Amino acid sequence: DAAEIKELLSYKEDSAGAIMTSEFVSIPQDLSVKEAVKEIKLQNPPNSEIAFYIFIVDHVNRLVGYITLRDTLMAPKDALVKDIRNDYPIKTTVDTDQEEVAELFRKYDVIALPVVNHDNQLVGLITVDDVVDVVVEEATEDLYKLSGTGDVDELKLVSGKLIFAIQSRLPWLILTIFGGIVASYIITFY
């Protein structure tokens, strides 16, 4: 666990690598469906959206496709995984910005997105829960910027000291007052 956490901490803060989980289900492409089901059971996926997609990898762990749990259960037991897989998985790289990752989720309406390194090797998975956290964080950041408090530390603002609120909002308040005065003069002439 410590090695996994250390690796996740090595990625840039706002990147896909920083928000991904290293828990995912992947199987080799050369298995039969019957062998694939056994392998999935051995990996014991958690009861979450992580278990919905099964990622197909080649002999050097490069992502080559995916299948859903439903596809696996409905396929004939003697069929090969590589024959029933979807060959074009929507994926992202470890250094993709988290806002771009959120856009991929919105655009393709997926519940999980595989994360690959620069050699196309599967290294993690981002779930829709992780992206919701990103969207909330970005929306909060945008709201702070709109209220003129984007440059002030959040802890200072919620500390309750009036000086921090005044200091961060004063330029915007002055701009609003002058804008109101100019607007009233314009209205007076008409």
Side-chain angles (χ1 to χ4, degrees):
D1 288 345
E4 287 179 23
I5 291 172
K6 190 175 182 180
E7 182 181 344
L8 291 174
L9 289 174
S10 70
Y11 298 111
K12 289 190 326 186
E13 184 179 345
D14 292 338
S15 68
I19 61 173
M20 73 180 180
T21 179
S22 55
E23 288 186 32
F24 55 88
V25 181
S26 67
I27 56 174
Q29 65 179 342
D30 298 330
L31 297 179
S32 69
V33 170
K34 184 177 181 179
E35 295 168 330
V37 170
K38 285 181 184 178
E39 179 65 27
I40 293 167
K41 286 180 181 180
L42 283 175
Q43 291 186 28
N44 192 19
N47 188 16
S48 68
E49 63 273 359
I50 292 172
F52 185 73
Y53 291 112
I54 296 108
F55 297 101
I56 313 303
V57 294
D58 64 9
H59 63 284
V60 290
N61 203 38
R62 283 188 304 238
L63 182 64
V64 293
Y66 74 95
I67 53 177
T68 63
L69 197 53
R70 181 188 184 285
D71 293 341
T72 308
L73 295 175
M74 299 303 287
K77 291 183 180 194
D78 58 342
L80 293 176
V81 169
K82 64 182 173 183
D83 295 333
I84 63 168
R85 74 174 185 228
N86 297 309
D87 291 329
Y88 303 104
I90 300 160
K91 62 187 174 193
T92 189
T93 59
V94 291
D95 57 353
T96 304
D97 187 75
Q98 64 184 7
E99 289 183 46
E100 292 176 41
V101 171
E103 181 61 25
L104 286 172
F105 271 87
R106 188 200 62 76
K107 183 177 180 180
Y108 295 109
D109 198 27
V110 293
I111 59 172
L113 189 68
V115 181
V116 296
N117 62 16
H118 296 289
D119 295 326
N120 201 36
Q121 294 175 321
L122 185 61
V123 293
L125 178 73
I126 299 174
T127 64
V128 72
D129 293 341
D130 301 326
V131 170
V132 168
D133 295 339
V134 168
V135 170
V136 168
E137 179 184 317
E138 295 298 329
T140 303
E141 182 181 309
D142 292 344
L143 187 61
Y144 282 156
K145 286 179 183 175
L146 286 173
S147 68
T149 57
D151 297 336
V152 180
D153 183 20
E154 183 178 344
L155 294 175
K156 286 183 179 180
L157 287 176
V158 296
S159 69
K161 294 189 179 183
L162 187 59
I163 189 70
F164 294 125
I166 292 172
Q167 197 175 34
S168 64
R169 292 186 176 189
L170 192 59
W172 292 103
L173 291 174
I174 291 171
L175 183 67
T176 304
I177 289 171
F178 283 123
I181 292 171
V182 169
S184 67
Y185 278 122
I186 293 172
I187 291 172
T188 303
F189 288 119
Y190 291 105

